[in-house]
Amino acid sequence: AAKMSSPTETERCIESLIAVFQRYAGKDGNSSKLSKTEFLTFMNRELAAFTKNQKDPGVLDRMMKKLDLNADGQLDFQEFLNLIGGLAIACHESFLKSAHSQKIL
Amino acid sequence: AAKMSSPTETERCIESLIAVFQRYAGKDGNSSKLSKTEFLTFMNRELAAFTKNQKDPGVLDRMMKKLDLNADGQLDFQEFLNLIGGLAIACHESFLKSAHSQKIL
């Protein structure tokens, strides 16, 4: 049998994404989808730094609508990953901009 | 000023995805894209458990082609996130299947 080694950073990250989705999706109703309430709980607990910075109170409503590609009022795992990806891209771009302005890159 | 608190699991994950991409993309040439060589290094180091399990030696070539949506021979951060998302979805589905067969869900 193969020896189990400790997971890599990427493997830990994939496991975390699944665990976080299941933790919040499991709170009410369909445990394989995030309801609107579960999405709001997720945003306020896991991404509070982002959520608190939004001055427009409608921003989370609009995010939910935009992410909910099949418009069933819930987010499945693929739709949830699009959220994480969008935030990661925004963070990555702001890092690149600040690195450029500091002439790191 | 807001007090800095320790990052949540989701925030750590977003940071990890950016850090891992930059670590591998920075190895040669364009430091904001993964070349084919950098992609192979990433797959062999970070996702060795997956990569070693593939019996077909052409699988990584085909993955790179499929992920490289704009066919420039490199993977940008968005294309890299599609890879992570695809793997996360595959893991999530295999978890759901095994949970169903064990009657956990």
Side-chain angles (χ1 to χ4, degrees):
Chain A
K3 198 178 138 213
M4 292 289 282
S5 51
S6 65
T8 65
E9 189 168 3
T10 306
E11 287 166 346
R12 270 203 306 273
C13 191
I14 291 173
E15 287 167 0
S16 278
L17 289 172
I18 296 172
V20 166
F21 178 78
Q22 289 180 337
R23 192 181 314 143
Y24 287 89
K27 289 186 188 291
D28 65 40
N30 187 333
S31 68
S32 64
K33 296 194 176 189
L34 282 182
S35 66
K36 178 76 175 279
T37 308
E38 289 167 339
F39 167 72
L40 296 175
T41 306
F42 166 78
M43 291 302 293
N44 285 316
R45 288 204 197 150
E46 288 285 322
L47 298 168
F50 169 85
T51 305
K52 278 184 199 153
N53 259 326
Q54 305 304 317
K55 276 145 201 163
D56 177 353
V59 73
L60 291 184
D61 286 349
R62 285 201 305 280
M63 282 178 74
M64 175 85 188
K65 270 200 190 120
K66 206 174 161 182
L67 289 163
D68 181 16
L69 295 176
N70 65 351
D72 68 347
Q74 301 180 302
L75 301 183
D76 62 24
F77 188 54
Q78 169 73 68
E79 292 165 340
F80 169 78
L81 289 175
N82 293 342
L83 163 65
I84 304 297
L87 292 169
I89 286 168
C91 287
H92 186 234
E93 280 170 0
S94 96
F95 168 86
L96 289 180
K97 257 185 220 160
S98 104
H100 274 289
S101 68
Q102 292 166 44
K103 299 190 178 160
I104 296 169
L105 294 177
Chain B
K3 199 179 137 211
M4 293 288 282
S5 51
S6 65
T8 65
E9 189 167 3
T10 305
E11 288 166 344
R12 270 203 306 274
C13 191
I14 290 173
E15 288 168 358
S16 279
L17 289 172
I18 295 172
V20 166
F21 179 78
Q22 290 181 335
R23 192 180 313 144
Y24 288 90
K27 289 188 188 290
D28 65 40
N30 187 333
S31 69
S32 65
K33 294 193 176 189
L34 281 182
S35 66
K36 179 75 176 279
T37 309
E38 288 167 339
F39 168 71
L40 296 175
T41 306
F42 166 77
M43 291 301 293
N44 286 315
R45 289 205 196 148
E46 288 285 323
L47 297 168
F50 168 85
T51 305
K52 278 186 198 150
N53 259 327
Q54 306 304 316
K55 276 145 201 162
D56 176 352
V59 74
L60 291 184
D61 287 349
R62 285 201 305 280
M63 281 178 75
M64 174 85 189
K65 270 201 190 120
K66 205 175 161 182
L67 289 165
D68 181 16
L69 296 176
N70 66 351
D72 68 347
Q74 301 180 302
L75 301 182
D76 63 23
F77 188 54
Q78 169 73 68
E79 292 165 341
F80 169 77
L81 289 175
N82 292 341
L83 162 65
I84 303 298
L87 291 168
I89 287 168
C91 287
H92 186 234
E93 280 170 0
S94 96
F95 168 86
L96 289 179
K97 257 185 221 157
S98 105
H100 274 289
S101 68
Q102 292 166 44
K103 300 189 177 162
I104 295 170
L105 294 177

